[in-house]
Amino acid sequence: MATFLKNINMISGSAAKFLEQELPPEVRGWQSKYVLCVCGNPGITQDGIAKEIFVNKSNVSRQVSALEDAGLFRREPDEQDSRVSHVYPTEKCLEFREAIREANARWREIITEGLSPEEKEELFRLTSVLYENAEKYMNGGGKS
């Protein structure tokens, strides 16, 4: 199983490096998941981002600030709780969303080269199960 996790980590790290090369300099490869999350959930809270992409709250705070400084996000305070802010994509951010999707599609083609359409479908099905299990665990439904 150690090889399995090593492979998953290698694919993830390679994907971030690929995205780094493919995307505009305003969006780092590993920041693309923040952009997609906020574009898909305008007004999401920072806690919501942390839960959605499985990262700790301090990382979310740093990345949201960096992406806000880059002109990609804007924050608005919650009307009921001033400690909470909602994160929205800017027009500039929305323009990057399609570039990220296209780069992700190119990466998918690169890493699934040589697989038949049936194998690609099975790979997607299996990784979806892995994701669902990870999500259940991260949301407190798994055994520790």
Side-chain angles (χ1 to χ4, degrees), residues 48-101:
I49 295 170
K51 289 176 184 170
E52 184 79 19
I53 62 174
F54 307 129
V55 294
N56 66 47
K57 293 176 187 179
S58 62
N59 282 348
V60 171
S61 181
R62 280 191 298 275
Q63 294 309 317
V64 167
S65 291
L67 290 163
E68 187 176 35
D69 291 346
L72 299 175
F73 289 171
R74 67 181 170 78
R75 286 188 259 201
E76 293 182 10
D78 187 88
E79 292 179 7
Q80 268 70 55
D81 186 347
S82 61
R83 297 169 297 174
V84 175
S85 60
H86 298 273
V87 183
Y88 294 89
T90 62
E91 285 301 316
K92 183 178 179 182
C93 183
L94 293 170
E95 292 171 12
F96 286 129
R97 177 176 49 182
E98 192 56 35
I100 292 168
R101 287 179 176 163

Side-chain angles (χ1 to χ4, degrees), residues 9-24 27-32 103-104 106-107 110-111:
N9 287 330
M10 179 64 157
I11 292 166
S12 177
S14 298
K17 192 171 190 174
F18 174 81
L19 290 172
E20 192 90 16
Q21 296 167 351
E22 295 290 309
L23 297 175
V27 181
R28 310 291 294 176
W30 36 270
Q31 289 175 324
S32 63
N104 282 335
R106 283 192 304 277
W107 178 246
I110 289 168
I111 65 170

Side-chain angles (χ1 to χ4, degrees), residues 1-11 126-127 130:
M1 210 41 126
T3 301
F4 171 76
L5 293 177
K6 178 182 171 187
N7 291 346
I8 294 290
N9 287 330
M10 179 64 157
I11 292 166
L126 292 171
T127 56
L130 297 178

